[in-house]
Structures are given as structure tokens and as C-alpha cells.
Amino acid sequence: MLLAIDVGNTNTVFALHDGEKTVGSWRCLTTHGRTADEYYVWLKSLMQPHGLIRDVSDVIISSVVPQVVFNLRVLSDTYFHTRPMVVGKPEVELGVPVRVDKDTVVGADRLVNTVGAFDRYGGNLIVVDFGTATTFDIVGADGAYEGGIISPGVNTSLRGLSEAAAALPYIDVTKPERVVGTNTRMCMQSGIYWGYVGLIEGLCTRVAQERGEAMKVIGTGGLSTLFDQGTNVFDHLDSDLTIHGLVLIHARNKKENS
């Protein structure tokens, strides 16, 4: 089985795929200092009751935190006895063109999402990913990555607001019942929720206008379902888009190297 690892700035997802479907997934905080041994003990405690830990034969990693990759490589080499594929390394082919300015480094997660989204939904897409940052990535008609937009993530914005203004509390993200708040907490919830709805709708509209063509909008990331409640902009929500992209990239490279 394939162990697909998606390392984000906040969380790391481990998903086990049997070639047809994801049979299990587990999430932990992304921590720079976690060793390969610690990863294995944690994974074994979660996977062993289902008899899955012994079935790992291949590993692929997508990471936006370079410091974490070394210990994940050691995990793969030591405990699963396989050399992992690492998205972004020259030997790992994406299978789609990347059309950005010379010497620009694109986050591995954004490229993986492009591969997964094109496979499921075709081209002319805007992929909106709600993570530490909220990113908008453009997938061309031929599946190429054609640039995008990076804005502060929802929780990142909330933390910044609370830390910068002593009188403002830290709040949870939720859809408020009304746009106009009548207390501080309601005002903040409205500003964050409806402000981000406006951001999403506005940017997706501007992208489509700039390109002069209709664009399908794909939402992914933990908060996509929450914001979908306040807008009709999303054509599809896809919670496992990154893992799907990793599975495709692994299969493509495995075939080429066989």
C-alpha cells in the first residue's frame, strides 16, 4: 500500500491508499523536531489495530515545511524499507506543465492539488484551498499550473487580529446568523466569515474576467464546507484533493520507473 504524506504549515496528514481507495487517514500537528521513531510509534498505535502498518510498501511526500522532510525520509527508509518520492525533487515528474516566472518556487501542495483537480474536473479551474494561507490556484485547459493568489488564512487572520488588538478576543470561525453584529464577538465573526465570502467571490469573479472564460471553482481544505454555506461560488468541494493528487503522481512515476 501507498502511504501518502501531506505536510502543511499547521497539520500533517498521513493517508494509506490501496490502489483503489483511501483505507485510512490520520492527522497530527506539524512539528519540526519530531523524529522518525516518534512518527513510527504514533502511526503504529493508530494503524496496527487494523493490521495496516505492515502493508506499507511505498511512500510519497508533499511538504511546504522543508525541515520536516528529512525525518520523514528516515521514517520511510528505516521502517518501511523504501525510498520515498518527494514532490518538488527533479526526479519526480508531475505530468503537467508549470507556467510561472523563471526561478519561482511553487508550493508542493499547490502543484499536487493541480494534478488532482485536473484529473477529476478537467481544466479551466480555480482551486481554493483553506489552510494556513488561503490560496487560489489556476489550472489551465491542458492541466497546467498557471499561477495563483495567496491571501492570509482564516485562522491566521483571527490570530493576528486578536494579538494586535488587546480588547478583541480570539474567536472560533462560524457562520453568524446576521451580518450586522450587536456585540464584539458577533461583529468579529461577521467580519471574518462574510469578509472571506466576499474575498472568495470577488477574486474568483476577477480571475474569470481577466481570463475571459468561465472557470469552475473547486474548494478544498478543512473550512471549505463552512464557507460553502455562505456562497454559491463553489462548483465542487473535494476534501481529499491533495491525497488524490499524490496518489496520481506516485502511480505516474512508478510506471515510468518500472
Side-chain angles (χ1 to χ4, degrees), residues 3-77:
L3 182 62
I5 306 174
D6 171 31
V7 182
N9 285 297
T10 304
N11 294 311
T12 299
V13 177
F14 296 78
L16 196 60
H17 198 275
D18 67 2
E20 295 183 358
K21 63 184 183 302
T22 297
V23 297
S25 65
W26 305 270
R27 183 183 300 264
C28 66
L29 286 175
T30 298
T31 304
H32 296 185
R34 184 173 283 123
T35 67
D37 298 334
E38 289 172 320
Y39 278 121
Y40 182 73
V41 169
W42 176 74
L43 282 170
K44 184 177 180 180
S45 69
L46 294 169
M47 297 168 66
Q48 192 63 37
H50 308 287
L52 298 174
I53 193 76
R54 65 178 180 270
D55 296 329
V56 176
S57 58
D58 296 270
V59 177
I60 186 168
I61 302 167
S62 165
S63 177
V64 298
V65 185
Q67 304 94 317
V68 174
V69 175
F70 174 78
N71 283 323
L72 290 174
R73 282 181 175 273
V74 175
L75 168 71
S76 181
D77 290 335

Side-chain angles (χ1 to χ4, degrees), residues 212-238:
E213 57 191 350
M215 305 287 289
K216 285 181 286 186
V217 181
I218 314 301
T220 190
L223 291 174
S224 59
T225 54
L226 175 63
F227 282 94
D228 184 53
Q229 297 172 21
T231 179
N232 295 319
V233 72
F234 296 110
D235 294 286
H236 302 280
L237 298 183
D238 196 328

